[in-house]
């Protein structure tokens, strides 16, 4: 266990808050920086929260100095693929430009370890829908491009500076909630399939649109590699251990290595919801969506020794359903 301080940007958000919870549980000293644009105060358990922007130069410099930060986990970002297609500059500003600012401040402050939340969207449409870390990076939406540019900045900064080492984690499709039920994916306007389908099952939304039924996939709907948020969070702790032990900078896929179609996810939500049919509407394809995106997932296990514990779609959906019910019982959770 390290006694140095860790800055978590976006630590009040969905994935960031699960990671913060795990870090605090193992006794790390953590500071969260989050502008609460999509995060919630109630998600930050047992650690100081500074409300502000990763793009705020003075604030970031002050936080790094005041808290003697030597490690940064950078989650803060916009993440919605279709929104990035309709409003690309929002994504380049908040993802790429803000990361540039953060890296500049980290370099000046002598930060030594950096874990970056990247995305499978950097691959675009990989051959046979399966992405290896060395597959070509050809994003098909501005979200993927905004993250890939950040990867490049990080790579080039680390090459130019002997101090900073990094792990880039390319997330596949995160889903589910804290198995202990303390935190979860709270944003009511979320667009992620598992979340939306569970909201429909819980009666919070009237119906689910299936975006595209004519993809070249076994049942015509999009295929994704759904990873439980608790496993994704633990990959960050493994990445930190790796860097603390002197590991070299590296880029790793973070998924399970197998995919489910939209229809398969819908079926599982129906099963978990007592067999009740979900109201669904077949809709046209959504802008920026690849047909299939599944991780080649071996490298992260070899390099970090990461062992996922929740690789099971039913477990993922159950935890998400439980969280939707808690949100219904306690609407105060989403008041900031
Ligand atoms: C998600 C992430 C993105 C990441 C990508 C990696 C978010 C908001 N998105 O995007 O950051 O780069 O995983 O693969 O974190 N679908 C429906 N109906 C819906 C919602 C989705 O049919 O209401 C379908 C989509 O068309 C797609 C699949 O479900 O085929 C998954 O979509 P979604 O959950 O939105 O995630 P991604 O767009 O893959």
């Amino acid at each position: 266990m390290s006694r140095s301080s860790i800055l978590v940007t976006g630590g009040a958000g969905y994935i960031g808050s699960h990671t913060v919870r795990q870090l605090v549980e193992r006794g790390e000293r953590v500071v969260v920086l989050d502008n609460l644009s999509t995060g919630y105060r109630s998600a930050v358990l047992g650690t100081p929260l500074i409300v502000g922007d990763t793009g705020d130069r003075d604030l970031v410099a002050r936080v790094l100095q005041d808290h003697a930060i030597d490690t940064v986990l950078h989650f803060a970002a916009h993440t919605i693929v279709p929104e990035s297609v309709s409003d690309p500059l929002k994504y380049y500003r908040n993802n790429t430009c803000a990361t540039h600012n953060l890296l500049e401040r980290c370099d000046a402050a002598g930060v030594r370890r950096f874990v970056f939340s990247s995305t499978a969207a950097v691959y675009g449409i990989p051959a046979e829908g399966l992405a290896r870390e060395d597959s070509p990076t050809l994003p098909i939406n501005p979200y993927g491009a905004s993250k890939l540019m950040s990867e490049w900045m990080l790579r080039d900064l680390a090459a130019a500076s002997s101090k900073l080492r990094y792990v880039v984690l390319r997330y596949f499709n995160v889903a589910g909630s804290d198995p202990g039920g303390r935190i979860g994916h709270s944003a009511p306007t979320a667009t992620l399939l598992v979340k939306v389908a569970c909201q429909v099952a819980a009666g919070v939304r009237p119906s689910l649109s299936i975006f595209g039924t004519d993809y070249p996939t076994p049942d015509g709907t999009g295929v994704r590699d759904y990873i439980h948020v608790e496993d994704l969070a633990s990959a960050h702790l493994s990445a930190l251990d790796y860097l603390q032990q002197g590991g070299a900078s590296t880029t790793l896929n973070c998924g399970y290595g197998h995919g489910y179609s939209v229809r398969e996810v819908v079926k599982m939500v129906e099963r978990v919801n007592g067999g009740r049919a979900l109201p669904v509407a077949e809709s046209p394809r959504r802008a920026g969506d690849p047909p299939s995106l599944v991780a080649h997932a071996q490298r992260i296990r070899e390099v970090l020794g990461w062992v996922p514990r929740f690789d099971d779609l039913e477990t993922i959906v159950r935890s998400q359903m439980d969280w939707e019910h808690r949100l219904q019982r306690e609407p105060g959770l989403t008041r900031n």
Side-chain angles (χ1 to χ4, degrees):
M1 188 186 80
S2 154
R3 292 315 304 158
S4 52
S5 289
I6 300 169
L7 174 66
V8 181
T9 75
Y14 173 36
I15 307 168
S17 63
H18 284 78
T19 307
V20 166
R21 205 206 75 238
Q22 289 188 12
L23 287 168
V24 170
E25 276 168 7
R26 82 166 189 185
E28 301 280 4
R29 267 191 290 201
V30 181
V31 179
V32 170
L33 174 64
D34 196 302
N35 65 10
L36 300 181
S37 62
T38 54
Y40 294 96
R41 284 181 195 279
S42 61
V44 182
L45 303 178
T47 197
L49 164 66
I50 297 160
V51 178
D53 228 275
T54 319
D56 181 336
R57 293 174 65 83
D58 294 342
L59 175 65
V60 170
R62 209 164 53 240
V63 171
L64 292 175
Q65 195 185 352
D66 289 355
H67 296 272
I69 302 293
D70 72 350
T71 301
V72 173
L73 271 60
H74 179 33
F75 293 90
H78 292 316
T79 60
I80 299 173
V81 169
E83 185 189 47
S84 80
V85 176
S86 59
D87 192 357
L89 294 186
K90 175 174 176 181
Y91 280 69
Y92 291 118
R93 182 179 63 247
N94 190 53
N95 295 359
T96 315
C97 298
T99 300
H100 175 273
N101 177 63
L102 177 64
L103 287 176
E104 213 169 41
R105 300 290 102 201
C106 287
D107 189 36
V111 167
R112 291 185 300 155
R113 294 179 279 265
F114 199 98
V115 180
F116 177 58
S117 304
S118 190
T119 168
V122 299
Y123 294 115
I125 304 181
E128 283 154 28
L130 193 67
R132 297 168 51 100
E133 286 85 350
D134 57 2
S135 297
T137 45
L138 298 164
I140 58 166
N141 51 58
Y143 168 63
S146 74
K147 287 283 188 174
L148 184 58
M149 286 154 90
S150 298
E151 285 195 17
W152 288 341
M153 286 191 287
L154 188 52
R155 177 198 63 192
D156 295 344
L157 175 63
S161 138
S162 57
K163 281 191 302 250
L164 187 109
R165 283 171 300 114
Y166 66 82
V167 173
V168 166
L169 295 176
R170 289 179 176 159
Y171 304 167
F172 285 68
N173 284 61
V174 62
S177 291
D178 170 21
R182 292 153 290 190
I183 51 176
H185 190 188
S186 298
T189 54
T191 56
L192 290 181
L193 175 65
V194 174
K195 164 91 183 167
V196 173
C198 288
Q199 285 178 309
V200 174
V204 177
R205 295 195 198 212
S207 74
L208 175 81
S209 295
I210 298 183
F211 296 131
T213 53
D214 59 348
Y215 282 111
T217 57
D219 68 13
T221 65
V223 171
R224 297 289 185 276
D225 186 338
Y226 294 93
I227 172 172
H228 197 299
V229 66
E230 194 71 358
D231 281 335
L232 186 52
S234 78
H236 294 76
L237 276 69
S238 301
L240 276 189
D241 293 341
Y242 167 83
L243 289 173
Q244 274 158 6
Q245 289 153 16
S249 294
T250 191
T251 297
L252 300 167
N253 282 345
C254 213
Y256 290 147
H258 52 84
Y260 294 98
S261 72
V262 176
R263 289 196 202 282
E264 286 172 322
V265 170
V266 169
K267 269 206 194 82
M268 182 56 79
V269 172
E270 289 175 339
R271 194 163 113 196
V272 166
N273 196 39
R276 284 181 285 280
L278 220 58
V280 296
E282 296 191 358
S283 307
R285 293 182 182 192
R286 200 174 61 173
D289 273 355
S292 182
L293 200 47
V294 173
H296 195 279
Q298 210 38 45
R299 212 167 159 257
I300 186 168
R301 289 163 171 79
E302 289 162 9
V303 174
L304 301 186
W306 172 71
V307 182
R309 295 167 52 218
F310 302 97
D311 178 0
D312 176 61
L313 186 61
E314 181 169 349
T315 305
I316 290 173
V317 168
R318 276 195 192 287
S319 69
Q320 188 62 50
M321 241 6 265
D322 289 347
W323 185 249
E324 292 312 321
H325 289 136
R326 179 151 182 226
L327 284 173
Q328 281 185 315
R329 288 194 309 272
E330 296 174 56
L333 287 167
T334 51
R335 266 179 228 126
N336 268 330

